[in-house]
Amino acid sequence: KDWIAADPAALAAIEALVHPLVAQDRAQALAASTARIMVLDIPLLFETGAETDMDAIAVVSAPPEVQRQRVLARPGMTEAQFELILSRQMPDAEKRARADYVIETLDLATARAQVRAVIADLEARHA
């Protein structure tokens, strides 16, 4: 994976192959679903333009220092890899501004309560 990080063209070529396959798989899953609400975890939602296909967008977020600690705690993760990941993502403040809902993940109880509130609001909107 180091060669991918060193060569932006390699990442773009991989993404050009993978993103359409992922979008096709997502479309098939949505078409086959009978669920009232479906949650899709799309890390590069805004960066890939997939937000236009969503009825609502929830951004799961934590303060930058908490995010840094969590990511760097992953096995094998380095500061350089973390910075590379951040450089490819839209800034958190912009994602929050574009979202319909923001779920803070400082602690499990608060996050769980916010998820329940989002579900209740979605069910009310589509009743």
Side-chain angles (χ1 to χ4, degrees), residues 63-122:
E65 63 278 1
V66 173
Q67 180 188 26
R68 179 178 296 279
Q69 289 171 347
R70 289 175 179 169
V71 174
L72 292 176
R74 296 177 188 163
M77 183 59 66
T78 66
E79 186 76 31
Q81 289 171 320
F82 175 66
E83 293 301 327
L84 184 62
I85 290 168
L86 283 183
S87 74
R88 293 185 175 143
Q89 292 181 356
M90 178 181 292
D92 189 61
E94 188 172 344
K95 288 186 229 180
R96 287 170 172 255
R98 294 175 68 175
D100 299 294
Y101 306 95
V102 176
I103 299 170
E104 297 283 350
T105 61
L106 288 174
D107 63 84
L108 188 55
T110 302
R112 186 174 285 136
Q114 290 176 354
V115 167
R116 286 184 177 129
V118 168
I119 292 169
D121 188 62
L122 289 171

Side-chain angles (χ1 to χ4, degrees), residues 18-51:
V18 172
H19 286 183
L21 294 173
V22 171
Q24 180 182 8
D25 185 61
R26 180 174 54 242
Q28 289 172 342
L30 288 168
S33 176
T34 59
R36 290 186 340 262
I37 296 173
M38 210 166 160
V39 176
L40 305 174
D41 181 4
I42 306 175
L44 297 173
L45 177 76
F46 296 116
E47 293 83 350
T48 61
E51 77 276 10

